Each structure stands twice: as structure tokens, then as C-alpha cells.
Amino acid sequence: MELKDKITEQPSRYDHLEKMSVTELLQHINEEDALVAAAVRKALLQIEPLVEAIEPRMRRGGRLFYVGAGTSGRLGVLDASELPPTFGVPDTWVVGLIAGGEQALRHAVERAEDVAEQGWQDLLSYAPTPDDTVLGIAASGTTPYVLGAVKEARENGLLSGCITSNPGTPLAQAVEFPIETIVGPEFVTGSSRMKSGTAQKMVLNMISTTLMIRLGRVQGNRMVNMQLTNDKLVDRGTRMLQHSLGLSYEEAQQRLLEAGSVSEAITKTKY
């Protein structure tokens, strides 16, 4: 796919940005951001079958791997890292891999995304199985690190999907479940950390949150399995128990701390 063919590389709808006032810049960025939710909405019919295919695999013990480079990789790592404290799941359920490794989370690693073989090599360290899923994340849809990983994953029997901001990319053609969020040219030409990154974050939120709900990590609308890692979360859990069990704040907090989670405290009360 040629550079000129990528929507993510097309010129911004705005020019002479350096001459704009702060007000104008903020307003125009906001106008562009407003287009993202609509683009994601159009992709819902692509997201749904992927989630439905992942769920039974995770029920059998399969894992979900996010694979990306640069902004895309960082967003995958971010989403994966937030699931254990939010839903009380092991950090092995969803794993984020980024080209260049942990160093790339804070600093650009030169040409790390250009090594097509490295994505699959990074996955091999987790001993992947056919119950696992690999979700490639690349706004361009052409990143070699990501493309190499999903191709090898699919050839080895893993479920494969992707999130990209260009239509008909090599990445989308390489996977079983492509998700294309066509957000249009970026406000700063080619800066896919902006609208493309926002769309990726929204889709990742949808996928992981829906899976966690379907896998029983939420009751009603509450994070009953969250880790009690700070006073704010202990207070939140205490209030959940107050609401669910009709207890005083003090008694609810005591039961919560003894049980270790809202879910466990409710279960112990029932039985």
C-alpha cells in the first residue's frame, strides 16, 4: 500500500496551523475529534463478531494479545494493564506487546516496527495456543512488526483480528476479523496519535470491557472484582456493599477487607 493511498497520510483539512490562535486550534481539534465516535459506530458490525469469537476461547483459558508499535502499541499495553486492577483478573488474560519492548513505552526505539519477524518472536515467548487471539493494532495497516505477527499467528491456528484507520490494508487482508475505523486525515498531517489513536482506544475499551462483562467480572453495573489497591477503591467497594447488603459503612468496610473483594464479600454473605 503506497503512502499516497493512505487516508492517515493525507493532508489535514486545515492549514497554516502556526498562524491560528489557541482558541482556533482547540476548536478545530475538537471538531475533528467529534468525527471519531461516528467512525467507530460504523465499525460496530466488525467489532461484534470478533468479540463473539474471542469469548469462548477465553472461557477455555485462551488469552488475548494486543500487538502494536508506537502509539498503537502503547494503547494496547495501556488497555491490558488496566484490566487486572479494574476487573480482578490475572495479568496473563490480556497481554500487550509493543515493538521495541518496554523501553518503547517511553522512548522511540529506532526501526523496531520495521522488523517483520520480531512480532511473532515476541509472541512465541508466551507459548501461544490455538485458543489465543492476536489483535494487531496499526493505524496505517502496514506496520511490518504487526503484520508479521498476525500472519504467523493465523498460520499457527490462532484467532486473528486488527484495528486500522485505512480501508483495504495488508493488515486487514491478513486477519480473519478486520476492524476499520476510518476517521479521515489527522489535524496535524500524519499524526495518527490523534484521531486514529482515539479510535483505537475506544475500540479497545469496547472489546475488553465487553469481554470482562461477558466473563462474569461485573455484577449489575459495578466493578465487584476490582483490586483494593488504594483508599479510593476501598471506599468505592464499601459503598457497593452498603448498597447491596444494607449494611452500615463500618460493617461493610470490615466485610470487604476480610473478603478481599466486593464479589467475595457478597458471596460469603449469601452462603
Side-chain angles (χ1 to χ4, degrees):
M1 191 174 193
E2 298 294 332
L3 193 66
K4 62 182 176 62
D5 297 326
K6 297 176 182 176
I7 293 176
T8 50
E9 296 292 337
Q10 290 178 0
S12 170
R13 297 185 178 97
Y14 304 84
D15 203 354
H16 306 299
L17 304 185
E18 72 281 4
K19 296 180 181 179
M20 292 183 182
S21 67
V22 171
T23 298
E24 290 173 320
L25 289 168
L26 296 177
Q27 287 178 341
H28 292 323
I29 291 172
N30 180 247
E31 289 167 2
E32 289 297 296
D33 285 344
L35 303 175
V36 177
V40 172
R41 187 181 304 114
K42 291 180 180 178
L44 289 178
L45 291 178
Q46 295 177 323
I47 300 170
E48 181 180 354
L50 173 61
V51 174
E52 290 180 338
I54 295 173
E55 181 186 342
R57 287 168 168 79
M58 293 193 75
R59 289 187 183 279
R60 295 195 296 266
R63 300 158 294 178
L64 172 58
F65 291 94
Y66 298 143
V67 180
T71 297
S72 300
R74 294 183 189 101
L75 289 170
V77 172
L78 171 64
D79 191 75
S81 67
E82 290 180 337
L83 301 182
T86 304
F87 299 106
V89 298
D91 60 10
T92 53
W93 277 29
V94 182
V95 179
L97 300 179
I98 182 172
E102 289 193 11
Q103 180 184 352
L105 291 174
R106 294 182 178 272
H107 307 282
V109 177
E110 186 176 358
R111 303 193 70 81
E113 70 175 57
D114 296 329
V115 183
E117 300 80 14
Q118 191 59 50
W120 179 243
Q121 289 301 311
D122 289 348
L123 278 165
L124 283 177
S125 65
Y126 291 87
T129 75
D131 277 334
D132 293 330
T133 301
V134 175
L135 180 63
I137 313 169
S140 67
T142 58
T143 307
Y145 176 85
V146 179
L147 191 55
V150 299
K151 283 183 175 179
E152 287 291 337
R154 187 172 183 180
E155 289 178 7
N156 282 271
L158 282 71
L159 189 72
S160 60
C162 74
I163 306 172
T164 179
S165 295
N166 286 299
T169 64
L171 181 59
Q173 294 169 13
V175 302
E176 298 158 90
F177 295 95
I179 298 169
E180 298 171 320
T181 55
I182 312 304
V183 296
E186 296 290 356
F187 181 71
V188 175
T189 298
S191 182
S192 56
R193 60 177 284 273
M194 301 187 76
K195 289 192 296 179
S196 292
T198 301
Q200 291 170 352
K201 182 66 168 71
M202 291 175 71
V203 174
L204 291 170
N205 282 347
M206 287 180 170
I207 291 171
S208 60
T209 303
T210 300
L211 285 169
M212 292 301 105
I213 293 169
R214 297 285 297 172
L215 293 171
R217 309 309 295 180
V218 171
Q219 290 181 15
N221 57 17
R222 300 178 185 274
M223 299 181 290
V224 294
N225 289 288
M226 64 186 178
Q227 295 176 355
L228 306 176
T229 54
N230 57 48
D231 290 342
K232 177 190 72 176
L233 297 179
V234 171
D235 177 68
R236 181 185 297 163
T238 299
R239 295 182 187 281
M240 287 184 194
L241 284 181
Q242 274 191 286
H243 176 78
S244 298
L245 303 177
L247 304 174
S248 68
Y249 186 91
E250 292 72 19
E251 186 177 1
Q253 186 174 87
Q254 181 180 347
R255 292 196 189 186
L256 175 66
L257 295 176
E258 289 174 352
S261 72
V262 175
S263 177
E264 189 65 21
I266 291 174
T267 298
K268 287 184 176 180
T269 300
K270 289 181 177 179
Y271 301 99

